[in-house]
Coordinates of all heavy atoms in Angstrom, one line a residue:
K1 N -4.3 -17.2 7.1 CA -3.3 -16.3 7.4 C -2.0 -17.1 7.9 O -2.2 -18.0 8.6 CB -3.6 -15.3 8.5 CG -4.6 -14.3 8.0 CD -4.9 -13.2 9.0 CE -5.7 -12.1 8.4 NZ -5.1 -10.9 8.6
A2 N -0.8 -16.6 7.6 CA 0.3 -17.2 8.1 C 0.4 -17.2 9.5 O 0.1 -16.2 10.2 CB 1.6 -16.5 7.5
G3 N 0.8 -18.3 10.2 CA 1.0 -18.4 11.6 C -0.3 -18.8 12.3 O -0.4 -18.9 13.5
S4 N -1.4 -18.7 11.6 CA -2.7 -19.1 12.1 C -3.1 -20.5 11.8 O -2.7 -21.0 10.7 CB -3.7 -18.0 11.5 OG -5.1 -18.4 12.0
T5 N -3.7 -21.1 12.7 CA -4.1 -22.5 12.5 C -5.4 -22.7 11.7 O -5.7 -23.7 11.2 CB -4.2 -23.3 13.8 OG1 -5.1 -22.6 14.7 CG2 -2.8 -23.3 14.5
A6 N -6.2 -21.6 11.8 CA -7.6 -21.6 11.2 C -7.6 -20.7 10.0 O -7.1 -19.6 10.0 CB -8.6 -21.2 12.2
A7 N -8.1 -21.1 8.9 CA -8.4 -20.2 7.6 C -9.5 -19.2 7.9 O -10.4 -19.5 8.7 CB -8.7 -21.1 6.5
E8 N -9.4 -18.1 7.4 CA -10.3 -17.1 7.5 C -11.0 -16.8 6.1 O -10.3 -16.7 5.1 CB -9.7 -15.7 7.9 CG -9.1 -15.9 9.3 CD -8.4 -14.5 9.8 OE1 -8.8 -13.5 9.2 OE2 -7.5 -14.6 10.6
K9 N -12.3 -16.8 6.0 CA -12.9 -16.5 4.8 C -12.8 -15.1 4.4 O -13.2 -14.2 5.3 CB -14.5 -17.0 5.0 CG -15.2 -17.0 3.7 CD -16.5 -17.6 3.9 CE -17.2 -17.6 2.4 NZ -18.6 -18.2 2.6
A10 N -12.4 -14.8 3.2 CA -12.2 -13.4 2.8 C -13.5 -12.8 2.3 O -14.4 -13.6 1.7 CB -11.2 -13.2 1.8
Q11 N -13.8 -11.6 2.5 CA -14.9 -10.9 1.9 C -14.2 -9.8 1.0 O -13.2 -9.5 0.8 CB -15.7 -10.2 3.0 CG -16.1 -11.1 4.1 CD -17.1 -12.0 3.6 OE1 -17.9 -11.8 2.7 NE2 -17.1 -13.3 4.1
V12 N -15.2 -9.1 0.1 CA -14.8 -8.1 -0.7 C -14.2 -7.0 0.1 O -14.5 -6.7 1.2 CB -16.1 -7.4 -1.5 CG1 -15.6 -6.2 -2.3 CG2 -16.6 -8.5 -2.4
K13 N -13.0 -6.4 -0.4 CA -12.3 -5.5 0.2 C -11.4 -5.9 1.4 O -10.9 -5.1 2.1 CB -13.1 -4.3 0.7 CG -14.0 -3.5 -0.4 CD -13.1 -2.8 -1.3 CE -14.0 -2.1 -2.3 NZ -13.2 -1.3 -3.2
T14 N -11.2 -7.2 1.5 CA -10.3 -7.9 2.6 C -8.9 -7.4 2.3 O -8.4 -7.5 1.2 CB -10.4 -9.3 2.7 OG1 -11.8 -9.7 3.1 CG2 -9.4 -9.9 3.6
V15 N -8.1 -7.0 3.2 CA -6.8 -6.5 3.0 C -6.0 -7.9 3.2 O -6.0 -8.4 4.2 CB -6.3 -5.4 3.9 CG1 -4.9 -5.1 3.8 CG2 -7.2 -4.2 3.6
V16 N -5.1 -8.0 2.2 CA -4.1 -9.1 2.3 C -2.7 -8.6 2.5 O -2.4 -7.8 1.6 CB -4.2 -10.0 1.0 CG1 -3.2 -11.1 1.1 CG2 -5.6 -10.5 0.9
T17 N -1.9 -9.1 3.4 CA -0.6 -8.5 3.6 C 0.4 -9.6 3.1 O 0.0 -10.8 2.7 CB -0.3 -8.2 5.0 OG1 -0.2 -9.5 5.7 CG2 -1.2 -7.3 5.6
G18 N 1.8 -9.2 3.0 CA 2.7 -10.2 2.5 C 2.9 -11.4 3.3 O 3.5 -12.4 3.0
K19 N 2.3 -11.4 4.6 CA 2.5 -12.6 5.4 C 1.2 -13.5 5.3 O 1.3 -14.6 5.8 CB 2.5 -12.1 7.0 CG 3.7 -11.2 7.3 CD 3.7 -10.8 8.6 CE 4.9 -9.9 9.0 NZ 4.7 -9.3 10.3
D20 N 0.3 -13.2 4.5 CA -0.8 -14.0 4.2 C -0.7 -14.9 3.2 O 0.0 -14.6 2.2 CB -2.1 -13.2 4.0 CG -2.5 -12.2 5.2 OD1 -2.2 -12.7 6.3 OD2 -3.1 -11.2 5.0
I21 N -1.4 -16.0 3.2 CA -1.5 -16.9 2.1 C -2.9 -17.1 1.7 O -3.8 -17.2 2.4 CB -0.9 -18.4 2.6 CG1 0.5 -18.3 3.0 CG2 -1.2 -19.5 1.5 CD1 1.0 -19.7 3.7
V22 N -3.1 -16.8 0.3 CA -4.5 -16.9 -0.2 C -4.6 -18.2 -0.8 O -3.9 -18.6 -1.7 CB -4.8 -15.8 -1.2 CG1 -6.1 -15.8 -1.8 CG2 -4.4 -14.3 -0.6
H23 N -5.8 -18.9 -0.4 CA -6.1 -20.3 -0.9 C -7.6 -20.1 -1.4 O -8.5 -19.9 -0.6 CB -6.0 -21.2 0.2 CG -6.3 -22.7 -0.2 ND1 -6.3 -23.7 0.7 CD2 -6.6 -23.2 -1.5 CE1 -6.6 -24.8 0.1 NE2 -6.8 -24.5 -1.2
T24 N -7.8 -20.3 -2.7 CA -9.2 -20.4 -3.2 C -9.6 -21.7 -3.1 O -9.0 -22.7 -3.3 CB -9.2 -19.8 -4.7 OG1 -8.4 -20.6 -5.4 CG2 -8.8 -18.3 -4.7
G25 N -11.0 -21.9 -3.0 CA -11.6 -23.1 -2.9 C -11.9 -23.8 -4.2 O -11.7 -23.2 -5.3
K26 N -12.6 -24.9 -4.1 CA -13.0 -25.7 -5.4 C -13.8 -24.9 -6.4 O -13.6 -25.1 -7.6 CB -13.7 -26.9 -4.9 CG -14.0 -27.8 -6.0 CD -14.7 -29.1 -5.6 CE -14.9 -30.1 -6.6 NZ -15.6 -31.4 -6.1
K27 N -14.7 -24.1 -5.9 CA -15.5 -23.3 -6.8 C -15.5 -22.0 -6.6 O -16.4 -21.2 -6.6 CB -17.0 -23.8 -6.6 CG -17.2 -25.2 -7.1 CD -18.7 -25.7 -6.9 CE -18.9 -27.1 -7.4 NZ -20.4 -27.4 -7.3
S28 N -14.3 -21.4 -6.4 CA -14.1 -20.0 -6.0 C -13.0 -19.4 -6.8 O -12.1 -20.1 -7.3 CB -13.8 -19.8 -4.5 OG -12.6 -20.3 -4.1
R29 N -12.9 -18.1 -6.9 CA -11.9 -17.3 -7.5 C -11.6 -15.9 -6.7 O -12.4 -15.7 -5.8 CB -12.3 -16.9 -9.0 CG -12.6 -18.0 -9.9 CD -13.0 -17.5 -11.3 NE -14.2 -16.6 -11.1 CZ -15.4 -17.0 -11.7 NH1 -15.5 -18.1 -12.3 NH2 -16.4 -16.1 -11.6
A30 N -10.5 -15.4 -7.0 CA -10.3 -14.2 -6.2 C -9.5 -13.3 -7.1 O -8.8 -13.6 -8.1 CB -9.4 -14.3 -5.0
E31 N -9.8 -11.8 -6.9 CA -9.0 -10.9 -7.6 C -8.4 -10.1 -6.5 O -9.0 -9.5 -5.7 CB -10.0 -10.0 -8.5 CG -9.1 -9.0 -9.2 CD -10.0 -8.1 -10.2 OE1 -10.2 -8.7 -11.3 OE2 -10.4 -7.1 -9.8
L32 N -7.1 -9.9 -6.6 CA -6.3 -9.1 -5.8 C -5.7 -7.9 -6.5 O -5.3 -7.9 -7.6 CB -5.1 -9.9 -5.1 CG -5.3 -11.3 -4.6 CD1 -4.1 -11.9 -4.3 CD2 -6.2 -11.1 -3.4
E33 N -6.0 -6.7 -6.0 CA -5.5 -5.4 -6.4 C -4.5 -4.8 -5.5 O -4.8 -4.6 -4.3 CB -6.6 -4.5 -6.7 CG -6.2 -3.1 -7.3 CD -7.3 -2.2 -7.6 OE1 -8.5 -2.6 -7.4 OE2 -7.1 -1.0 -7.9
F34 N -3.2 -4.6 -6.0 CA -2.2 -4.1 -5.3 C -2.2 -2.5 -5.3 O -3.0 -2.0 -6.2 CB -0.9 -4.6 -5.8 CG -0.7 -6.0 -5.7 CD1 -1.2 -7.0 -6.7 CD2 -0.1 -6.7 -4.7 CE1 -1.1 -8.3 -6.5 CE2 0.0 -8.0 -4.4 CZ -0.5 -8.9 -5.4
E35 N -1.5 -1.9 -4.3 CA -1.5 -0.5 -4.2 C -1.2 0.3 -5.6 O -1.5 1.4 -5.8 CB -0.6 0.0 -3.1 CG -1.2 -0.4 -1.8 CD -0.3 0.0 -0.6 OE1 0.7 0.7 -0.8 OE2 -0.7 -0.2 0.6
D36 N -0.3 -0.3 -6.3 CA 0.2 0.3 -7.5 C -0.7 0.0 -8.8 O -0.3 0.1 -9.8 CB 1.6 -0.2 -7.9 CG 1.7 -1.6 -8.3 OD1 0.7 -2.3 -8.3 OD2 2.9 -2.0 -8.5
Q37 N -1.9 -0.6 -8.5 CA -2.9 -1.0 -9.5 C -2.6 -2.2 -10.3 O -3.2 -2.6 -11.3 CB -3.2 0.2 -10.5 CG -3.4 1.5 -10.0 CD -4.6 1.5 -9.0 OE1 -5.7 1.1 -9.4 NE2 -4.4 1.9 -7.8
S38 N -1.6 -3.0 -9.8 CA -1.3 -4.3 -10.3 C -2.5 -5.3 -9.9 O -3.0 -5.0 -8.9 CB 0.0 -4.9 -9.8 OG 1.1 -4.2 -10.3
L39 N -2.7 -6.2 -10.8 CA -3.8 -7.1 -10.5 C -3.3 -8.6 -10.6 O -2.5 -8.9 -11.4 CB -5.0 -7.0 -11.6 CG -5.8 -5.7 -11.5 CD1 -6.8 -5.8 -12.7 CD2 -6.5 -5.6 -10.3
C40 N -3.8 -9.4 -9.8 CA -3.7 -10.8 -9.8 C -5.0 -11.5 -9.6 O -5.6 -11.4 -8.6 CB -2.7 -11.3 -8.7 SG -2.2 -13.0 -8.7
R41 N -5.4 -12.2 -10.7 CA -6.7 -13.0 -10.6 C -6.4 -14.5 -10.5 O -5.6 -15.1 -11.2 CB -7.4 -12.8 -11.9 CG -7.9 -11.4 -12.1 CD -8.8 -11.2 -13.3 NE -9.3 -9.8 -13.2 CZ -9.4 -9.1 -14.3 NH1 -9.1 -9.6 -15.6 NH2 -9.9 -7.9 -14.4
L42 N -6.9 -15.1 -9.3 CA -6.6 -16.4 -9.0 C -7.8 -17.3 -9.4 O -8.9 -16.9 -9.1 CB -6.3 -16.5 -7.5 CG -5.3 -15.6 -6.9 CD1 -5.2 -15.7 -5.4 CD2 -4.0 -15.8 -7.6
G43 N -7.5 -18.5 -10.0 CA -8.5 -19.4 -10.3 C -8.8 -20.3 -9.1 O -8.2 -20.2 -8.0
S44 N -9.7 -21.3 -9.3 CA -10.1 -22.2 -8.2 C -9.0 -23.0 -7.8 O -8.0 -23.4 -8.6 CB -11.2 -23.0 -8.6 OG -11.0 -23.8 -9.8
N45 N -8.9 -23.4 -6.6 CA -7.8 -24.3 -6.0 C -6.5 -23.7 -6.3 O -5.5 -24.5 -6.5 CB -8.0 -25.8 -6.5 CG -9.2 -26.4 -6.2 OD1 -9.6 -26.4 -4.9 ND2 -9.9 -27.1 -7.1
T46 N -6.3 -22.5 -6.0 CA -4.9 -21.9 -6.1 C -4.5 -21.4 -4.7 O -5.2 -21.1 -3.8 CB -5.1 -20.6 -7.0 OG1 -5.5 -20.9 -8.2 CG2 -3.9 -19.8 -7.0
I47 N -3.2 -21.6 -4.5 CA -2.5 -21.2 -3.3 C -1.5 -20.3 -3.7 O -0.5 -20.4 -4.5 CB -1.9 -22.4 -2.6 CG1 -2.9 -23.4 -2.2 CG2 -1.0 -21.9 -1.4 CD1 -2.3 -24.7 -1.6
F48 N -1.7 -19.0 -3.2 CA -0.8 -17.8 -3.5 C -0.2 -17.1 -2.4 O -0.9 -17.0 -1.4 CB -1.7 -16.9 -4.3 CG -1.1 -15.5 -4.5 CD1 -0.3 -15.3 -5.6 CD2 -1.5 -14.4 -3.8 CE1 0.3 -14.1 -5.9 CE2 -1.0 -13.1 -4.0 CZ 0.0 -12.9 -5.1
S49 N 1.0 -16.6 -2.4 CA 1.6 -15.7 -1.5 C 2.5 -14.7 -2.1 O 2.9 -15.0 -3.3 CB 2.4 -16.5 -0.4 OG 3.5 -17.3 -1.0
F50 N 2.8 -13.7 -1.5 CA 3.7 -12.7 -2.2 C 4.5 -11.9 -1.0 O 4.2 -11.9 0.1 CB 2.9 -11.7 -2.9 CG 2.1 -10.7 -2.1 CD1 2.5 -9.4 -1.9 CD2 0.9 -11.1 -1.6 CE1 1.9 -8.6 -1.1 CE2 0.2 -10.2 -0.8 CZ 0.6 -9.0 -0.6
D51 N 5.7 -11.3 -1.6 CA 6.5 -10.5 -0.8 C 6.4 -9.1 -1.3 O 6.9 -8.7 -2.4 CB 8.0 -11.0 -0.8 CG 8.9 -10.1 0.0 OD1 8.6 -9.1 0.4 OD2 10.0 -10.7 0.3
P52 N 5.8 -8.1 -0.5 CA 5.6 -6.8 -1.1 C 6.8 -6.1 -1.2 O 6.9 -5.1 -2.0 CB 4.8 -6.1 -0.1 CG 4.9 -6.9 1.2 CD 5.2 -8.4 0.8
E53 N 7.9 -6.4 -0.5 CA 9.2 -5.7 -0.6 C 9.9 -5.9 -2.0 O 10.5 -5.0 -2.5 CB 10.1 -6.0 0.5 CG 9.4 -5.7 1.8 CD 9.3 -4.2 2.0 OE1 10.2 -3.5 1.7 OE2 8.3 -3.8 2.7
T54 N 9.7 -7.2 -2.4 CA 10.5 -7.6 -3.6 C 9.6 -7.9 -4.9 O 10.0 -8.0 -6.0 CB 11.2 -8.8 -3.4 OG1 10.3 -9.9 -3.1 CG2 12.3 -8.7 -2.3
R55 N 8.3 -7.8 -4.6 CA 7.3 -8.1 -5.6 C 7.4 -9.6 -6.2 O 7.0 -10.0 -7.3 CB 7.3 -7.1 -6.8 CG 6.9 -5.9 -6.4 CD 6.9 -4.8 -7.5 NE 5.8 -5.3 -8.5 CZ 4.7 -4.8 -8.7 NH1 4.3 -3.7 -8.1 NH2 4.0 -5.2 -9.6
D56 N 8.0 -10.4 -5.3 CA 8.1 -11.9 -5.7 C 6.7 -12.5 -5.4 O 6.1 -12.3 -4.1 CB 9.1 -12.6 -4.8 CG 10.5 -12.3 -5.3 OD1 10.6 -11.6 -6.4 OD2 11.5 -12.6 -4.6
M57 N 6.1 -13.3 -6.2 CA 4.8 -14.0 -6.1 C 5.1 -15.4 -6.1 O 5.9 -15.9 -6.9 CB 3.8 -13.6 -7.1 CG 3.5 -12.1 -7.2 SD 2.5 -11.7 -8.4 CE 2.4 -9.9 -8.2
A58 N 4.5 -16.3 -5.3 CA 4.6 -17.6 -5.3 C 3.3 -18.4 -5.5 O 2.3 -18.0 -4.7 CB 5.3 -18.1 -4.0
F59 N 3.2 -19.2 -6.4 CA 1.9 -20.1 -6.6 C 2.4 -21.5 -6.3 O 3.1 -22.2 -7.0 CB 1.4 -20.0 -8.1 CG 1.0 -18.5 -8.3 CD1 1.9 -17.6 -8.9 CD2 -0.3 -18.2 -8.1 CE1 1.6 -16.3 -9.2 CE2 -0.6 -16.8 -8.4 CZ 0.2 -15.9 -8.9
T60 N 1.8 -22.0 -5.2 CA 2.1 -23.5 -4.8 C 1.3 -24.4 -5.7 O 1.7 -25.4 -6.2 CB 1.7 -23.7 -3.3 OG1 2.4 -22.7 -2.6 CG2 2.1 -25.1 -2.9
R61 N 0.1 -24.0 -6.1 CA -0.7 -24.7 -7.0 C -1.8 -23.8 -7.6 O -2.1 -22.7 -7.1 CB -1.3 -25.9 -6.4 CG -2.6 -25.8 -5.9 CD -3.3 -27.1 -5.4 NE -4.4 -26.8 -4.6 CZ -4.8 -27.3 -3.5 NH1 -4.1 -28.2 -3.0 NH2 -5.7 -26.8 -2.9
G62 N -2.4 -24.1 -8.7 CA -3.4 -23.4 -9.3 C -3.0 -22.5 -10.5 O -2.0 -22.8 -11.0
V63 N -3.9 -21.7 -10.9 CA -3.6 -20.8 -12.1 C -4.0 -19.3 -11.8 O -4.7 -19.1 -10.7 CB -4.6 -21.2 -13.2 CG1 -4.3 -22.6 -13.7 CG2 -6.0 -21.1 -13.0
A64 N -3.3 -18.4 -12.4 CA -3.5 -17.1 -12.1 C -3.1 -16.2 -13.4 O -2.4 -16.7 -14.2 CB -2.5 -16.6 -11.0
L65 N -3.7 -15.1 -13.4 CA -3.4 -14.0 -14.5 C -2.9 -12.9 -13.7 O -3.6 -12.4 -12.8 CB -4.7 -13.6 -15.2 CG -4.6 -12.5 -16.2 CD1 -3.7 -12.9 -17.4 CD2 -5.9 -12.0 -16.7
V66 N -1.6 -12.4 -14.1 CA -1.0 -11.3 -13.4 C -0.8 -10.2 -14.3 O -0.4 -10.4 -15.5 CB 0.3 -11.8 -12.8 CG1 1.0 -10.6 -12.1 CG2 0.2 -12.9 -11.8
H67 N -1.2 -8.9 -14.0 CA -1.0 -7.7 -14.8 C -0.4 -6.7 -14.0 O -0.8 -6.4 -12.9 CB -2.4 -7.3 -15.3 CG -2.4 -5.8 -15.9 ND1 -1.8 -5.7 -17.2 CD2 -2.6 -4.6 -15.4 CE1 -1.9 -4.4 -17.5 NE2 -2.3 -3.8 -16.4
V68 N 0.7 -6.3 -14.5 CA 1.4 -5.1 -13.9 C 1.5 -3.9 -14.8 O 1.8 -4.2 -16.0 CB 3.0 -5.5 -13.6 CG1 3.7 -4.4 -12.9 CG2 2.9 -6.8 -12.7
P69 N 0.8 -2.8 -14.4 CA 0.8 -1.7 -15.4 C 2.1 -1.2 -15.8 O 3.1 -1.4 -15.1 CB 0.0 -0.6 -14.5 CG -0.6 -1.4 -13.4 CD 0.3 -2.5 -13.2
P70 N 2.1 -0.6 -17.0 CA 3.4 -0.2 -17.5 C 4.0 0.9 -16.5 O 3.4 1.7 -15.8 CB 2.9 0.7 -18.8 CG 1.8 0.0 -19.2 CD 1.0 -0.4 -18.0
G71 N 5.3 1.0 -16.5 CA 6.1 1.9 -15.5 C 6.0 1.4 -14.0 O 6.6 2.2 -13.2
K72 N 5.5 0.3 -13.6 CA 5.5 -0.1 -12.3 C 6.5 -1.0 -12.0 O 6.5 -1.7 -10.8 CB 4.1 -0.7 -12.0 CG 3.0 0.2 -12.2 CD 3.0 1.4 -11.3 CE 1.8 2.3 -11.6 NZ 1.8 3.4 -10.7
G73 N 7.5 -1.3 -12.7 CA 8.6 -2.2 -12.4 C 8.5 -3.4 -13.0 O 8.8 -3.8 -14.1
G74 N 7.9 -4.4 -12.3 CA 7.9 -5.9 -12.7 C 7.5 -6.7 -11.5 O 7.2 -6.2 -10.5
A75 N 7.6 -8.0 -11.8 CA 7.3 -9.0 -10.7 C 8.1 -10.2 -11.1 O 8.4 -10.4 -12.2 CB 5.8 -9.2 -10.7
R76 N 8.4 -11.0 -10.1 CA 8.9 -12.4 -10.3 C 7.9 -13.3 -9.7 O 7.4 -13.2 -8.6 CB 10.2 -12.5 -9.4 CG 10.9 -13.8 -9.6 CD 12.1 -13.7 -8.7 NE 12.4 -15.1 -8.4 CZ 13.5 -15.7 -8.9 NH1 14.2 -15.2 -9.9 NH2 13.8 -17.0 -8.6
I77 N 7.6 -14.3 -10.6 CA 6.5 -15.3 -10.3 C 7.1 -16.7 -10.2 O 7.8 -17.1 -11.2 CB 5.5 -15.3 -11.4 CG1 4.9 -13.9 -11.5 CG2 4.4 -16.4 -11.1 CD1 4.1 -13.7 -12.6
A78 N 7.0 -17.5 -9.0 CA 7.5 -18.7 -8.9 C 6.5 -19.7 -8.8 O 5.4 -19.4 -8.1 CB 8.5 -18.8 -7.7
T79 N 6.6 -20.9 -9.5 CA 5.7 -22.0 -9.3 C 6.5 -23.3 -9.0 O 7.7 -23.2 -9.2 CB 4.7 -22.2 -10.5 OG1 5.6 -22.7 -11.6 CG2 4.2 -20.9 -11.0
P80 N 5.9 -24.4 -8.6 CA 6.7 -25.6 -8.5 C 7.2 -26.0 -9.8 O 8.3 -26.7 -9.9 CB 5.7 -26.6 -8.0 CG 4.5 -25.9 -7.5 CD 4.5 -24.5 -8.2
A81 N 6.7 -25.7 -11.0 CA 7.2 -26.1 -12.2 C 8.0 -25.2 -13.0 O 9.0 -25.6 -13.8 CB 6.1 -26.5 -13.1
A82 N 8.0 -23.8 -12.7 CA 8.7 -22.8 -13.5 C 8.8 -21.6 -12.7 O 8.0 -21.2 -11.8 CB 8.1 -22.7 -14.8
T83 N 9.7 -20.7 -13.1 CA 9.8 -19.3 -12.6 C 9.8 -18.4 -13.8 O 10.4 -18.6 -14.7 CB 11.1 -19.1 -11.9 OG1 11.2 -20.1 -10.7 CG2 11.2 -17.8 -11.2
A84 N 9.0 -17.3 -13.6 CA 8.8 -16.4 -14.7 C 9.0 -14.9 -14.0 O 9.0 -14.7 -13.0 CB 7.4 -16.4 -15.3
A85 N 9.3 -13.9 -15.0 CA 9.5 -12.7 -14.6 C 8.8 -11.7 -15.5 O 8.7 -12.1 -16.7 CB 10.9 -12.2 -14.5
I86 N 8.2 -10.6 -15.1 CA 7.5 -9.6 -15.8 C 8.4 -8.4 -15.7 O 8.9 -7.9 -14.6 CB 6.2 -9.2 -15.3 CG1 5.3 -10.4 -15.3 CG2 5.5 -8.1 -16.0 CD1 4.0 -10.3 -14.5
Q87 N 9.0 -8.0 -16.9 CA 9.8 -6.8 -16.9 C 9.5 -5.8 -18.1 O 8.7 -6.2 -18.9 CB 11.3 -7.1 -17.1 CG 11.8 -8.1 -16.0 CD 13.3 -8.5 -16.3 OE1 13.8 -8.5 -17.5 NE2 14.0 -8.7 -15.2
G88 N 9.9 -4.6 -17.9 CA 9.6 -3.6 -18.9 C 8.3 -3.1 -19.0 O 7.5 -3.4 -18.1
D89 N 7.9 -2.3 -20.0 CA 6.6 -1.7 -20.1 C 5.9 -2.4 -21.2 O 5.5 -2.0 -22.1 CB 6.8 -0.2 -20.3 CG 7.3 0.3 -19.0 OD1 7.6 -0.3 -18.1 OD2 7.4 1.5 -18.9

């Protein structure tokens, strides 16, 4: 969690807020489901954060699959190497 010095191990149904940073381990993965049914699947060794107000997602490292359902707007995805956007239906 942001502002915390110790990492917290997530369990199924853990709520992640825009202030949290999700870091998957060497042999772990995570699936995040947003209130609008968007999905973000994180691979191992991924560091992810997001801003719920703007739908900006940041990946400091790692891999992810992002799905935004039709009609839900879109998202902006930033990585150290590139920035991408999801728009349209």
Side-chain angles (χ1 to χ4, degrees):
K1 290 194 172 229
S4 175
T5 57
E8 297 178 24
K9 189 173 183 175
Q11 303 295 326
V12 173
K13 304 285 183 184
T14 296
V15 176
V16 178
T17 68
K19 297 176 183 176
D20 295 333
I21 297 172
V22 178
H23 180 185
T24 58
K26 185 176 180 180
K27 294 183 179 182
S28 65
R29 296 181 303 246
E31 180 176 279
L32 306 174
E33 182 178 349
F34 296 85
E35 290 180 4
D36 69 356
Q37 308 304 303
S38 294
L39 291 174
C40 184
R41 292 185 178 143
L42 308 177
S44 61
N45 291 319
T46 296
I47 300 174
F48 168 81
S49 61
F50 72 100
D51 182 342
E53 299 297 320
T54 62
R55 296 186 56 110
D56 287 355
M57 300 178 187
F59 296 92
T60 305
R61 91 171 168 223
V63 298
L65 172 70
V66 178
H67 170 73
V68 178
K72 300 298 180 181
R76 181 179 157 103
I77 302 165
T79 71
T83 299
I86 300 170
Q87 296 179 334
D89 292 5

